[in-house]
Amino acid sequence: AQSVTQLDSQVPVFEEAPVELRCNYSSSVSVYLFWYVQYPNQGLQLLLKYLSGSTLVKGINGFEAEFNKSQTSFHLRKPSVHISDTAEYFCAVRNTNAGKSTFGDGTTLTVKP
Amino acid sequence: EAEVAQSPRYKITEKSQAVAFWCDPISGHATLYWYRQILGQGPELLVQFQDESVVDDSQLPKDRFSAERLKGVDSTLKIQPAELGDSAMYLCASSQQENEQFFGPGTRLTVL
């Protein structure tokens, strides 16, 4: 079985400030890791993914995440946020041998002017 | 750019009624997923298809939910009868490779 814990349900931040959204996971097998963004009443859009190789992954919209195997974490970061980054962010893990993804409960990022 | 299509976008129904949602995956994607997302939570997998075959429906409430993908392309998810607790966003996703899923815009279901 696998699980995902997003440590912060809500993160308020001022525009142009840096932000980190935290994600921890547990799994007994190797996993792929993902971050998705969801705007109100829309589906999920992939921000970035870790499959293998370099532990620092760069995604769209200036986001990046770092895979830390020893701490079983995959935290999402952005050095300077914009108002348009206000959305719900989901961390997900997927067993490398199966198609099913397990999602965290999400972090609401609110960027204030 | 190819997208996953879903309809309707919004559905309001009364409890005990039947509802159906439709999903058209990205052309060529063999794997199709239906997720349920309750407000304030992450998506939860209901059913996964590989072509026309069900791969995983362990979390599908089979007494009232059914899903089919008869020709291995588009898919329908049905609820009969709907209950108040079924109010949620129903998301469809498809993938060609094992590692990346593409999501549709979802169907927001409200059961009164």
Side-chain angles (χ1 to χ4, degrees), chain A residues 52-93:
Chain A
S52 65
S54 172
T55 58
L56 183 62
V57 180
K58 294 189 182 296
I60 62 172
N61 301 343
F63 284 93
E64 63 180 32
E66 185 157 18
F67 170 54
N68 188 318
K69 187 174 182 179
S70 63
Q71 298 186 5
T72 60
S73 68
F74 191 55
H75 300 335
L76 182 70
R77 302 185 183 99
K78 186 169 182 177
S80 176
V81 294
H82 303 289
I83 297 289
S84 59
D85 292 322
T86 294
E88 190 81 10
Y89 291 80
F90 291 94
C91 180
V93 300

Side-chain angles (χ1 to χ4, degrees), chain A residues 2 34 36 44 92-94 98-103, chain B residues 6 21 23 31-38 42-48 59-60 65 77 88-95 100-104 106-107:
Chain A
Q2 55 198 27
F34 307 83
Y36 291 87
L44 279 67
V93 300
R94 171 184 254 179
K100 177 180 177 179
S101 291
T102 300
F103 289 81
Chain B
Q6 288 188 248
F21 313 133
C23 172
T31 311
L32 184 147
Y33 313 80
W34 282 103
Y35 288 88
R36 176 172 59 186
Q37 185 181 18
I38 296 171
E44 176 189 30
L45 182 72
L46 291 175
V47 61
Q48 177 184 341
Q59 299 303 311
L60 188 71
F65 286 64
L77 178 69
M89 176 78 90
Y90 290 83
L91 295 165
C92 179
S94 69
S95 69
E100 183 169 352
Q101 300 177 22
F102 294 84
F103 284 82
T107 296

Side-chain angles (χ1 to χ4, degrees), chain B residues 10-80:
Chain B
Y10 303 91
K11 178 69 177 179
I12 300 174
T13 190
E14 294 184 345
K15 63 180 181 179
S16 79
Q17 296 299 304
V19 292
F21 313 133
W22 177 78
C23 172
D24 191 13
I26 293 173
S27 178
H29 282 196
T31 311
L32 184 147
Y33 313 80
W34 282 103
Y35 288 88
R36 176 172 59 186
Q37 185 181 18
I38 296 171
L39 191 64
Q41 298 181 20
E44 176 189 30
L45 182 72
L46 291 175
V47 61
Q48 177 184 341
F49 289 93
Q50 183 67 29
D51 298 310
E52 68 276 8
S53 301
V54 173
V55 174
D56 184 350
D57 63 357
S58 56
Q59 299 303 311
L60 188 71
K62 298 181 185 63
D63 57 335
R64 297 184 300 107
F65 286 64
S66 64
E68 60 183 17
R69 194 184 184 198
L70 294 177
K71 297 182 179 179
V73 180
D74 58 337
S75 175
T76 302
L77 178 69
K78 298 178 181 177
I79 309 174
Q80 182 175 17

